[in-house]
Amino acid sequence: MKIRLGIPKGSLQEATLQLFAQAGLVIHTNSRSYFASTADPEIECMLIRAQEMARYVEHGALDAGLTGFDWVVESGLEVMTVSDLIYAKQSRGKVRWVLAVPENSAYEKAEDLRGKIIATELVNVTKNYFSSRGVDVGVEFSWGATEVKPPMLADAIVEVTETGSSLRANHLRIMDTVLESNTQIIANKSAWADGAKRRKIENLALMLKGAMEAKDRVGLMLNVRKEDLERVLGVLPALKRPTISTLSDPEWLAVNTVIDESLAWDVIPRLKAANAQGIVEYPLNKVVM
């Protein structure tokens, strides 16, 4: 049994390869090939543009793939959503498709654009956005460099953004959010109905989500006398509750927990002040919830 897995080529590619590596599955790519290899003999990888991923998954050319929710909606195709993975090109957050206009224009709301030209790569979603508001506009497909088109080549644009910096650099003002999106693992319906393939895809999602949960977190181990345990626990933030185990000396306990890495600078001195000893901070690869 093998699954054919689509890896998004383009802006999401590097972040996706890094996530797989952290999850424990290194994907080897070649700049001259759209095929990639892994150490797992049950996974075959192919680099596919995120915009096309849903089509190849729905048609069965791929069993599963990683793409954006935006491109699944845009395609209008029926695929199984296996898991959400909240990461983007530059961050761990969602991205937004926004309606933007020249910063010095008089447009204040979508209705003000009646009869105007909107440039975007997300044509179907944009048409539905304006149609739902009863606003008749012309939506033109943009092959790229969409931010530079207003006001000469279009009156407004619908463009994806993480921070809004590119829009501001091109003197554009955001009027509204058209769609929020994040990366998803999607699967072909027939592959999902196949027990062996479904387990493989679910395990893949489990490991990728575990790698994401571990990002920006660290583990802490420490020893503490029983009489000081409550003071130590009062210092520790935790996912749920720390793991506490006994040591060979019955008067001592071992405590193991996970915290945000940004908190370690403050927490470790406070643990020491609470009489914790043998404090060890260690990196995490995966946290499986």
Side-chain angles (χ1 to χ4, degrees), residues 19-85:
L19 178 60
F20 270 86
Q22 187 176 353
L25 187 66
V26 176
I27 298 176
H28 303 282
T29 61
N30 184 323
S31 60
R32 297 184 178 182
S33 174
Y34 281 83
F35 295 93
S37 61
T38 76
D40 190 328
E42 295 182 342
I43 297 179
E44 293 179 348
C45 293
M46 188 173 183
L47 297 173
I48 299 290
R49 283 172 57 84
Q51 294 91 325
E52 301 177 293
M53 192 72 71
R55 170 155 49 101
Y56 292 119
V57 169
E58 196 267 350
H59 291 174
L62 298 170
D63 295 309
L66 283 79
T67 188
F69 170 71
D70 45 4
W71 298 118
V72 176
V73 175
E74 175 71 6
S75 74
L77 298 171
E78 294 187 9
V79 293
M80 299 299 301
T81 301
V82 178
S83 180
D84 286 302
L85 301 172

Side-chain angles (χ1 to χ4, degrees), residues 204-221:
L204 172 70
L206 177 74
M207 297 299 279
L208 292 177
K209 287 181 72 68
M212 292 195 67
E213 289 292 340
K215 191 172 177 61
D216 300 325
R217 287 175 171 165
V218 294
L220 281 183
M221 295 189 300

Side-chain angles (χ1 to χ4, degrees), residues 84-98:
D84 286 302
L85 301 172
I86 312 298
Y87 74 94
K89 179 181 177 181
Q90 299 175 346
S91 69
R92 290 191 64 199
K94 292 187 175 186
V95 298
R96 294 188 298 152
W97 285 87
V98 297

